[in-house]
Amino acid sequence: MAKNKTTETEHSVSAYLNAIANEKRRSDCTELVALITAQTGLEPKMWGTGIVGFGRYHYKYESGHEGDAPLIGLASRANAITLYMASDLEEKALLLQQFGKHKTGKGCIYIQKLEDINTDVLGQMVQNSVKYLKGRYQTT
């Protein structure tokens, strides 16, 4: 079975944030880390070299594939800030209607800048994601 590429590391979150070349993106990501930390009470950790994650849960699929992942994550990518969150799909859809300017992917939400979104709604989404994952998986 393949080894997971994205695992918690000892890399520095502040070094990752400081290395974001675009000043506005760096500022937005730093604010997002502070917001998620305040919402969850969880310390940010690096997952791999490019994801800031909060907390941890262990998943195991019917296929037998298993691993650990952060309860919440964010990454500065070339075209957007990527937010990794999970929740009840109906609840998530309702909150995304109030979220602001964004795009979605399979399990991600993409934003361009912090001003484009409602941070109160983001806070609710963060809390919902943590609650959802803790209720579904083993967390550490």
Side-chain angles (χ1 to χ4, degrees):
M1 192 156 302
K3 184 177 180 343
N4 291 338
K5 293 178 186 175
T6 306
T7 58
E8 188 176 322
T9 69
E10 294 299 318
H11 296 239
S12 166
V13 172
S14 59
Y16 169 76
L17 294 170
N18 289 332
I20 298 171
N22 180 291
E23 185 178 330
K24 174 66 175 136
R25 175 77 57 86
R26 182 173 54 250
S27 173
D28 285 353
C29 287
T30 300
E31 284 187 55
L32 284 165
V33 167
L35 185 147
I36 295 168
T37 300
Q39 286 292 325
T40 64
L42 298 168
E43 180 183 351
K45 302 271 188 170
M46 289 304 300
W47 285 72
T49 58
I51 296 175
V52 179
F54 299 82
R56 169 197 300 255
Y57 71 95
H58 185 80
Y59 61 86
K60 185 171 184 176
Y61 299 135
E62 287 183 22
S63 66
H65 178 78
E66 65 182 298
D68 294 317
L71 293 168
I72 302 287
L74 72 92
S76 176
R77 302 293 187 211
N79 296 323
I81 298 169
T82 304
L83 302 169
Y84 302 95
M85 292 185 278
S87 66
D88 172 84
L89 293 177
E90 187 175 319
E91 186 176 69
K92 183 177 182 179
L94 290 173
L95 287 170
L96 283 174
Q97 291 176 6
Q98 306 165 46
F99 187 62
K101 188 176 175 184
H102 70 282
K103 292 182 181 178
T104 57
K106 186 175 180 181
C108 308
I109 300 168
Y110 305 100
I111 64 170
Q112 291 300 311
K113 56 187 185 265
L114 204 51
E115 298 85 48
D116 288 344
I117 64 166
N118 182 328
T119 55
D120 291 335
V121 173
L122 174 62
Q124 185 62 55
M125 293 171 70
V126 165
Q127 290 175 1
N128 290 356
S129 182
V130 170
K131 182 180 174 183
Y132 174 80
L133 291 170
K134 283 185 172 184
R136 186 166 181 187
Y137 298 101
Q138 176 185 347
T139 60
T140 57

